[in-house]
Amino acid sequence: MDQLHTSNGQTLSELCEHLDMTRQAVTKHLVILEEANLVATVWRGREKLHYLNPMPLHEIYERWIGKYERYRLRALSDLKKGLEEKNHER
Amino acid sequence: MDQLHTSNGQTLSELCEHLDMTRQAVTKHLVILEEANLVATVWRGREKLHYLNPMPLHEIYERWIGKYERYRLRALSDLKKGLEEKNHER
DNA sequence: TTGACATGCAACCATTGGGTTGCCTATATT
DNA sequence: AATATAGGCAACCCAATGGTTGCATGTCAA
């Protein structure tokens, strides 16, 4: 993903040049990313172009970050409230 | 994490009650989460209380979401620009 | 002080993950 | 038509993951 992020629409062998694994290993990654809908592909002749699919990251965000991020903010405001109460006690 | 999210500060055995694995399995998860600084623990007598540490999720966000989220927004604005240009050609 | 409870530690096991090699097919190039 | 290039498919390998069981230790309660 990082590799595609620096230059989108790369071909399989192009990607391989910058990655320290076999072509097949890279293929495996790409297959998974395709299945996860994070990468879309287009055939151009014998070449397969790979594009980052920018949309579905939002779901990941919602599942893993948003929920806890909201919690984080709540924790902060709780802390603030706590400090304020302590303050008022004096 | 989800379990702690519903009720923070639970003890190991409390967590086990809601999770379908051995106590040791749960322990392993917790050890990893502690090492990753996602969970903080406090000993109270023979009990070990577990608290979600809300802070470091931001790093995960930056690494995995923020970067691509910005990309996502750029992709959208590129699309918009492309449409506008097509429009002007007419 | 003895027994029950909460947790830790270590060895073990099966499955998965991430990689490799070898061979095959389809498209370009000459 | 022959060869080189881009990619796919399948079998295999090893280490890491995610669980288990068994036993040891520390703390509370009677």
Side-chain angles (χ1 to χ4, degrees):
Chain A
M1 288 180 70
D2 283 347
Q3 191 51 44
L4 280 179
H5 189 247
T6 71
S7 161
N8 208 13
Q10 290 184 70
T11 199
L12 172 55
S13 8
E14 281 170 356
L15 285 170
C16 289
E17 289 172 22
H18 306 281
L19 297 171
D20 192 23
M21 356 173 188
T22 324
R23 178 172 55 84
Q24 280 72 2
V26 177
T27 298
K28 285 197 179 181
H29 283 252
L30 290 171
V31 166
I32 291 173
L33 291 172
E34 277 184 65
E35 285 174 357
N37 241 305
L38 289 167
V39 162
T41 60
V42 179
W43 279 94
R44 188 177 64 192
R46 63 180 168 181
E47 297 180 320
K48 193 181 193 181
L49 308 180
H50 298 81
Y51 294 90
L52 270 185
N53 184 357
M55 289 319 191
L57 278 170
H58 187 65
E59 298 166 23
I60 300 177
Y61 174 83
E62 267 307 307
R63 173 65 183 87
W64 285 110
I65 308 292
K67 186 176 181 180
Y68 295 105
E69 191 71 1
R70 284 192 284 280
Y71 172 83
R72 183 173 89 95
L73 296 174
R74 199 180 71 211
L76 269 179
S77 84
D78 286 356
L79 174 62
K80 193 184 161 205
K81 209 182 296 175
L83 290 175
E84 287 171 353
E85 282 171 10
K86 256 196 193 149
N87 231 16
H88 287 145
E89 285 169 13
R90 300 195 275 121
Chain B
M1 288 180 69
D2 283 347
Q3 192 49 45
L4 280 180
H5 189 247
T6 71
S7 161
N8 208 11
Q10 290 184 72
T11 198
L12 172 56
S13 9
E14 281 170 357
L15 286 169
C16 288
E17 288 173 21
H18 306 280
L19 296 171
D20 192 23
M21 1 174 184
T22 323
R23 177 171 56 82
Q24 279 71 3
V26 177
T27 298
K28 286 196 179 181
H29 283 253
L30 290 172
V31 166
I32 291 172
L33 291 172
E34 278 184 64
E35 285 173 357
N37 242 304
L38 289 166
V39 162
T41 59
V42 178
W43 278 96
R44 188 178 63 192
R46 61 181 169 180
E47 295 180 321
K48 193 180 190 180
L49 307 181
H50 299 81
Y51 294 90
L52 271 184
N53 183 358
M55 289 319 193
L57 277 170
H58 186 64
E59 299 167 23
I60 301 178
Y61 174 82
E62 267 306 308
R63 173 65 183 87
W64 285 110
I65 308 293
K67 186 176 181 179
Y68 296 103
E69 191 72 1
R70 284 192 285 279
Y71 171 84
R72 182 172 92 94
L73 295 175
R74 200 181 69 213
L76 269 179
S77 84
D78 286 357
L79 173 62
K80 192 184 164 205
K81 209 182 296 177
L83 290 175
E84 286 173 352
E85 282 172 10
K86 255 196 195 150
N87 231 16
H88 286 147
E89 285 169 14
R90 299 194 275 121

